[in-house]
Amino acid sequence: MADHTCNCGGNGANSCASGKPSTPESGKVDRRSFLRKSVVMTAGLAAVAASLAPLRDLTDLGSVDQFLQKHYKELTPAEMEKALERIRGEVSRQYGLRPHLRDLKPMDGVEFVYCLNLTRCVGCRKCVHACVAENNQSRSPEIQYIRVVKMPNGTFDMERGDHTYAPETVPEKGFFYMPVQCHQCKNPPCVKVCPVDATWQEKDGITVIDYNWCIGCRYCEAACPYFARRFNFATPSIPKDQINANMSYLGNRPRQKGVMEKCHFCIQRTREGKYPACLEVCPTGSRKFGNILDPNSEVSYILKNKRVFVLKEEVGTLPRFFYYFDV
Amino acid sequence: MNTNAKESLVMTGLAVGFFGLAGAFALTLWAKPLEPVVNPPTPPDFTNTATVRQSPAEIYRTEGDTSGFSCYSCHDAKKKLEIHLDTNGEAILAEPHKDLVMRHGRKNRNDYCFNCHDAKNLEQLRVNEGQTFKLTEGNRLCGSCHGPTYRDWERGVHGRMQGFWDLSRGASAKSDCTSCHDPHAPSFPPIKPGPRPHALHPEPAAGETPKHTP
């Protein structure tokens, strides 16, 4: 360091701004170079500060409690009650009504199965819209759990399906309609790929998502062969007067931006013994739901007596959603 | 050019560049957030759970207008009802029955009134074997011909269900045959489909292929 003659305050030859030995008379920083450098520094700092401008819009940050909340399976009853109370507060603030929110557990001796009659379905999409209303899905941008695919008669090639049909009346001659939603697989690929265990299969067969644990990587969306999972790319928007106050923690409570969601067989209804919303609205009675472990249930009767079809059976997902035919 | 002037030039350039950047960031000159899409609300018809029509039993239960079921306010109970056919073999219907469309059975061949209605008591239904039913017991009349469907219906597999799958927690209600099927033209009527999924981008003009379907 003995031969270091630079006066810029650096401790090595290369850290000197000008990179050359200074003249003896520049022993102190001269006024002109100080001003010059400070203007550049100010401009640089201003640019950095301005580039952080998008943070000004970051108003929907969750609370500290939400950030520190544990995984669903690790929550004690007291912690769960605290989380529920926090969510009730959030919903009241955002939508102006206090929800009937609770954490419904699976029932003993129950495994849910869904059957859909392809002979009867006319493709009216009422199930799609009843589902949106029941499960507090975002209206704009639109999130729908059920996709009704119009298929030409004589094929099950999904590539030939059309989900944007809009004729005056349905059904159209020469086509059949196949609503597709989460199949609640017994061997679910979406659960296998989740890196954080934010989605899992409950003992009644419903694959659920902890919206507070999901990191939004969308692996599950890619893994699902049924296009059943939806991602909240934007903050969901639901009109205040259309919110469904009957909510379940793992079900239809409002979701936040950046998390996955999907059909959960209307957990807030079915775990209280009721039929799902899509079933009740279906004008043709094509949709059947029940407990497969009960030999007298409707779904047991269908699986015993009807011609049943499993969508994409070859991928080995073992769905709990069956299509069947009357004749 | 001496070193001082060179440094001065670089510094001025940097300062201008930085201020330009700062201004651009502050005004978000690029990467402007897209206008949020606002989809039109779905009409409420697509979320209501009502059946497409009402069966006589349902009309009685909900205390609706049952005047259509009192046949003898027009017909004479003492006179035997006769059906007059026109030259095409079609029944000539009186004014109150004008909107009746007969499309029952393959090739619409179940078109004779007294296949199902009792000729002796018009306020009753009657099957060929002679058994009579009240108007509110239509399901059993339908079942006298449509055996397999009736069996499925009894098990809750044909037709609509409402209420509870878990019967220990609440009741489930089946719909009547004629809550969905018009007995005179039973095939399920074509209905208007609900709105299709909205595209993320504006709808393409006619003839243009959509860039992205939802």
Side-chain angles (χ1 to χ4, degrees):
Chain A
M1 289 291 167
D3 59 343
H4 176 51
T5 52
C6 176
N7 291 300
C8 62
N11 55 1
N14 287 337
S15 70
C16 179
S18 57
K20 63 181 173 55
S22 48
T23 47
E25 64 266 25
S26 65
K28 52 186 191 302
V29 179
D30 68 75
R31 183 184 165 83
R32 178 170 299 179
S33 110
F34 171 75
L35 282 176
R36 222 185 262 146
K37 281 176 185 164
S38 31
V39 168
V40 175
M41 293 262 281
T42 314
L45 282 174
V48 170
S51 71
L52 299 175
L55 292 177
R56 284 177 307 199
D57 305 328
L58 206 61
T59 51
D60 53 355
L61 272 179
S63 64
V64 182
D65 281 347
Q66 183 186 337
F67 184 74
L68 295 177
Q69 188 183 314
K70 284 193 271 182
H71 188 275
Y72 175 84
K73 292 180 190 167
E74 292 172 355
L75 287 173
T76 61
E79 285 167 336
M80 173 48 89
E81 193 38 55
K82 202 176 147 205
L84 291 175
E85 198 45 47
R86 172 176 60 73
I87 297 165
R88 282 182 201 121
E90 283 167 10
V91 174
S92 318
R93 272 196 299 283
Q94 197 174 352
Y95 298 103
L97 96 179
R98 198 171 160 77
H100 176 46
L101 174 72
R102 65 270 191 235
D103 174 39
L104 289 166
K105 299 288 183 199
M107 296 153 71
D108 286 323
V110 170
E111 183 175 344
F112 291 127
V113 154
Y114 210 113
C115 295
L116 197 147
N117 192 338
L118 288 178
T119 314
R120 300 285 167 212
C121 177
V122 294
C124 68
R125 292 205 188 98
K126 280 184 87 169
C127 49
V128 176
H129 296 289
C131 170
V132 168
E134 170 70 28
N135 290 310
N136 295 324
Q137 277 138 264
S138 173
R139 311 301 202 271
S140 325
E142 200 171 55
I143 286 194
Q144 294 175 343
Y145 294 164
I146 306 174
R147 196 52 61 101
V148 186
V149 186
K150 179 176 103 172
M151 306 268 283
N153 279 348
T155 180
F156 270 118
D157 181 6
M158 300 296 282
E159 298 283 311
R160 296 180 61 193
D162 170 23
H163 60 197
T164 59
Y165 62 91
E168 268 308 297
T169 57
V170 284
E172 292 164 278
K173 227 179 160 52
F175 295 95
F176 72 97
Y177 299 85
M178 183 152 78
V180 184
Q181 63 202 78
C182 177
H183 277 40
Q184 315 291 359
C185 308
K186 201 175 177 92
N187 183 19
C190 54
V191 169
K192 285 183 207 164
V193 297
C194 182
V196 295
D197 193 26
T199 182
W200 65 92
Q201 200 177 167
E202 300 255 287
K203 70 173 183 183
D204 58 2
I206 302 179
T207 296
V208 292
I209 302 168
D210 183 352
Y211 308 119
N212 285 111
W213 204 255
C214 174
I215 57 171
C217 69
R218 301 172 63 209
Y219 284 15
C220 53
E221 188 184 14
C224 175
Y226 302 108
F227 180 45
R229 289 187 168 247
R230 301 289 186 274
F231 185 65
N232 284 288
F233 279 100
T235 306
S237 83
I238 310 162
K240 277 184 181 173
D241 57 329
Q242 287 176 32
I243 199 94
N244 175 15
N246 179 27
M247 290 178 191
S248 172
Y249 182 89
L250 291 173
N252 63 341
R253 69 183 165 112
R255 276 74 65 181
Q256 61 271 35
K257 179 178 170 177
V259 300
M260 296 301 304
E261 55 179 293
K262 68 167 190 72
C263 161
H264 39 77
F265 279 177
C266 285
I267 221 166
Q268 68 283 358
R269 298 169 65 99
T270 52
R271 282 192 179 168
E272 292 204 317
K274 290 186 199 141
Y275 284 122
C278 51
L279 183 149
E280 290 214 332
V281 83
C282 177
T284 61
S286 306
R287 291 171 165 268
K288 296 293 158 193
F289 175 85
N291 177 12
I292 194 67
L293 302 181
D294 171 9
N296 297 317
S297 67
E298 294 132 40
V299 286
S300 298
Y301 178 88
I302 290 165
L303 296 193
K304 269 181 230 150
N305 293 295
K306 297 288 184 181
R307 293 196 297 133
V308 172
F309 163 77
V310 172
L311 185 60
K312 299 195 185 179
E313 192 179 6
E314 69 279 9
V315 296
T317 48
L318 306 177
R320 288 193 181 83
F321 195 101
F322 299 92
Y323 297 94
Y324 70 100
F325 306 90
D326 261 351
V327 279
Chain B
M1 200 193 284
N2 65 23
T3 46
N4 222 2
K6 209 193 238 170
E7 190 188 324
S8 174
L9 203 68
V10 170
M11 287 292 182
T12 315
L14 274 175
V16 170
F18 279 143
F19 273 123
L21 268 177
F25 281 139
L27 300 171
T28 52
L29 284 189
W30 59 87
K32 277 229 181 287
L34 285 172
E35 280 295 303
V37 203
V38 179
N39 296 321
T42 304
D45 338 354
F46 294 109
T47 50
N48 84 34
T49 55
T51 49
V52 291
R53 57 197 306 284
Q54 280 197 309
S55 69
E58 212 177 334
I59 294 173
Y60 276 111
R61 199 167 53 239
T62 56
E63 289 166 2
D65 175 22
T66 54
S67 60
F69 304 134
S70 43
C71 307
Y72 294 111
S73 57
C74 304
H75 290 276
D76 186 352
K78 290 185 194 96
K79 231 168 81 184
K80 190 171 181 280
L81 187 67
E82 277 169 27
I83 295 174
H84 303 283
L85 303 180
D86 63 13
T87 47
N88 296 327
E90 306 267 336
I92 302 165
L93 296 170
E95 196 58 42
H97 300 306
K98 265 283 185 285
D99 53 354
L100 205 84
V101 185
M102 286 304 297
R103 268 201 305 269
H104 195 146
R106 294 238 167 102
K107 302 183 182 168
N108 307 333
R109 272 163 55 189
N110 182 13
D111 59 352
Y112 183 56
C113 308
F114 301 127
N115 285 354
C116 299
H117 292 280
D118 188 354
K120 294 200 183 88
N121 181 356
L122 296 175
E123 291 178 3
Q124 270 188 359
L125 301 167
R126 182 180 186 277
V127 292
N128 226 3
E129 292 77 27
Q131 201 180 356
T132 57
F133 301 106
K134 284 188 214 142
L135 276 179
T136 50
E137 297 172 327
N139 298 334
R140 292 179 58 204
L141 177 100
C142 301
S144 71
C145 291
H146 301 279
T149 311
Y150 186 71
R151 187 185 60 210
D152 283 355
W153 176 82
E154 277 191 308
R155 296 295 305 265
V157 169
H158 177 101
R160 299 185 60 164
M161 297 285 271
Q162 308 265 307
F164 288 77
W165 64 264
D166 184 358
L167 297 176
S168 66
R169 295 198 179 208
S172 83
K174 294 187 189 76
S175 293
D176 296 318
C177 305
T178 50
S179 294
C180 300
H181 302 283
D182 179 346
H184 300 115
S187 110
F188 193 80
I191 51 176
K192 190 176 154 49
R196 63 180 174 187
H198 290 102
L200 293 174
H201 304 292
E203 295 280 324
E208 199 187 340
T209 48
K211 287 194 191 75
H212 179 91
T213 49

